Amino acid sequence: TQLLEQSPQFLSIQEGENLTVYCNSSSVFSSLQWYRQEPGEGPVLLVTVVTGGEVKKLKRLTFQFGDARKDSSLHITAAQPGDTGLYLCAGGSNYKLTFGKGTLLTVNP
Amino acid sequence: GAVVSQHPSWVICKSGTSVKIECRSLDFQATTMFWYRQFPKQSLMLMATSNEGSKATYEQGVEKDKFLINHASLTLSTLTVTSAHPEDSSFYICSGGDGNQPQHFGDGTRLSIL
């Protein structure tokens, strides 16, 4: 069974601060996906990383896939209250995803 | 982008009743649909995978007679929680995929059993 460990589990910061959350595994994944979920809603796909060492940017969010394709990170620059939510990484194929436990981010105004 | 619609979004019912949740792919054909359960502040736990026209594959520890899944068409899958009890209260989320793109998730169903 492929496991994904996310850290930190909880993160509370002030608006304007930078942060990084991590997603680690002992297994190699063909791809990793990052989702954000708000309370009472389903997860929304942010990005898919496929190539080892790949870096993708989505406005203030920067996603990196480790060279060995076992880990990934999400860096948020100048966090805003609207970034508040549960950030989930997931790995596997389109047929079956394994989710990490998530990082619950709170950005205080 | 691909859209998955889930209905109802919230249901409250008495212990012992059965509850049906629908998951529809609105603009693509979901050859595979997935059902997840999520407890507060926790991640998604896969319950079962269903392929159109065949029996669902359940994850270890998930009772197939308790959680009935039907995937009769490429755009509709249903999850029926039979004889629901308070411990079945949770947030149930479906997703759909066609193998060529990442799964797209519905907005979830909040199930509360009294």
Side-chain angles (χ1 to χ4, degrees):
Chain A
T1 304
Q2 295 178 308
L3 296 176
L4 285 166
E5 299 287 339
Q6 283 190 248
S7 61
Q9 188 175 356
F10 301 97
L11 187 57
S12 180
I13 62 171
Q14 294 299 122
E15 183 176 0
E17 292 183 6
N18 302 331
L19 67 113
T20 302
V21 299
Y22 301 92
C23 176
N24 297 296
S25 175
S26 58
S27 303
V28 175
F29 285 90
S30 57
S31 66
L32 276 178
Q33 297 163 8
W34 283 92
Y35 294 83
R36 188 177 76 154
Q37 184 183 23
E38 297 192 23
E41 299 182 9
V44 175
L45 179 67
L46 297 174
V47 77
T48 300
V49 286
V50 177
T51 306
E54 181 177 9
V55 176
K56 283 191 173 179
K57 291 190 175 184
L58 184 65
K59 296 184 180 178
R60 295 175 292 101
L61 278 62
T62 301
F63 304 86
Q64 186 163 8
F65 201 14
D67 291 340
R69 291 184 290 141
K70 292 183 179 181
D71 55 86
S72 182
S73 63
L74 159 60
H75 181 80
I76 301 179
T77 304
Q80 299 177 0
D83 295 327
T84 294
L86 179 66
Y87 288 81
L88 296 158
C89 68
S93 68
N94 290 334
Y95 290 104
K96 188 166 184 176
L97 288 177
T98 298
F99 280 87
K101 290 187 175 181
T103 294
L104 187 60
L105 172 66
T106 303
V107 182
N108 303 297
Chain B
V3 178
V4 172
S5 175
Q6 196 169 334
H7 178 81
S9 58
W10 196 11
V11 58
I12 302 174
C13 60
K14 292 182 179 180
S15 182
T17 58
S18 293
V19 179
K20 180 185 283 188
I21 303 170
E22 292 187 349
C23 181
R24 295 180 184 272
S25 57
L26 299 184
D27 55 358
F28 70 102
Q29 293 186 327
T31 52
T32 306
M33 283 189 169
F34 306 86
W35 287 95
Y36 297 84
R37 182 165 53 183
Q38 185 179 32
F39 292 105
K41 297 186 178 180
Q42 294 187 24
S43 189
L44 281 70
M45 296 300 295
L46 180 65
M47 298 175 66
T49 303
S50 71
N51 293 297
E52 184 265 338
S54 63
K55 290 184 179 181
T57 302
Y58 290 82
E59 296 300 301
Q60 190 173 8
V62 179
E63 300 174 57
K64 61 180 181 180
D65 295 330
K66 173 81 172 171
F67 300 98
L68 301 179
I69 292 172
N70 183 280
H71 191 170
S73 77
L74 287 172
T75 59
L76 174 64
S77 176
T78 60
L79 168 67
T80 301
V81 183
T82 62
S83 186
H85 291 285
E87 59 266 28
D88 298 322
S89 298
S90 189
F91 192 52
Y92 292 85
I93 307 174
C94 71
S95 71
D98 62 6
N100 296 317
Q101 59 181 326
Q103 295 178 30
H104 290 271
F105 289 82
D107 276 341
T109 296
R110 172 75 56 199
L111 175 62
S112 296
I113 308 298
L114 304 178

